[in-house]
Amino acid sequence: FRYRMHPVQGWLGLSQLERIDATNAMRVRNMRRLNQKLAGVGDLLLPFEPPGGGHTAVHYVIWTEHKKALQRHLFAAGIDAQDESAENVAAMDRYRRFAAGPYPVAEKLDGKILLLPQHPCLGSADMDRIAAVVRDYFDRLPRGAETA
């Protein structure tokens, strides 16, 4: 690849490389904190660290049947949870003819993915607040609805 980069862009990129290990460590710290605080909450599926493997935790991705309502609850509390529109492309008209069969994982992810904030500049208190708001959402659901 040939990139035409302005020297200032190169300088900024190199300065980021000097901090990347520390930045990734902060992201992993935040991921672990959220995992600890959100374990067993509602129907959430949380990120995991593969044993013996590294993780950069660029995004904190959760799965829930309650994505839209949980996102609204987080927004109301001032927490910017991003909608990751994971779509089952095999179900889209333009790709259906190429799909060879059922794709149960894609079907399960379709419209159920949410990204919680976990930027490296956020600290433990921020992670605790995010987790508390998520827990509050599930605590307010009628009994049995949290795992719908």
Side-chain angles (χ1 to χ4, degrees):
F1 294 99
R2 185 173 171 190
Y3 293 101
R4 295 179 192 260
M5 189 180 296
H6 190 278
V8 172
Q9 292 171 309
W11 176 81
L12 285 171
L14 289 172
S15 71
Q16 292 296 315
L17 284 175
E18 293 171 6
R19 303 192 318 243
I20 197 161
D21 289 335
T23 299
N24 287 343
M26 288 184 264
R27 288 182 188 278
V28 169
R29 174 202 68 204
N30 287 343
M31 178 190 74
R32 288 176 179 159
R33 183 114 185 156
L34 284 174
N35 278 350
Q36 175 191 21
K37 298 289 182 175
L38 295 175
V41 173
D43 68 343
L44 295 179
L45 295 180
L46 307 175
F48 76 99
E49 279 187 89
H55 203 306
T56 56
V58 173
H59 298 290
Y60 189 84
V61 181
I62 62 171
W63 177 95
T64 178
E65 290 283 349
H66 302 270
K67 179 184 110 171
K68 290 291 185 188
L70 175 57
Q71 185 179 29
R72 284 192 301 272
H73 186 76
L74 287 159
F75 281 164
I79 297 170
D80 185 17
Q82 296 297 309
D83 178 354
E84 179 56 40
S85 298
E87 294 183 55
N88 178 6
V89 285
M92 295 178 178
D93 288 339
R94 66 182 171 264
Y95 298 115
R96 196 173 318 225
R97 64 188 168 118
F98 302 109
Y103 300 94
V105 175
E107 291 167 11
K108 183 174 181 165
L109 295 174
D110 192 9
K112 311 265 185 343
I113 302 296
L114 195 61
L115 279 65
L116 298 182
Q118 60 95 36
H119 189 275
C121 292
L122 298 174
S124 296
D126 300 307
M127 297 298 99
D128 291 350
R129 180 169 178 275
I130 292 165
V133 172
V134 171
R135 293 180 78 87
D136 177 65
Y137 169 80
F138 284 100
D139 288 347
R140 291 172 184 244
L141 290 177
R143 188 159 290 300
E146 67 275 2
T147 56

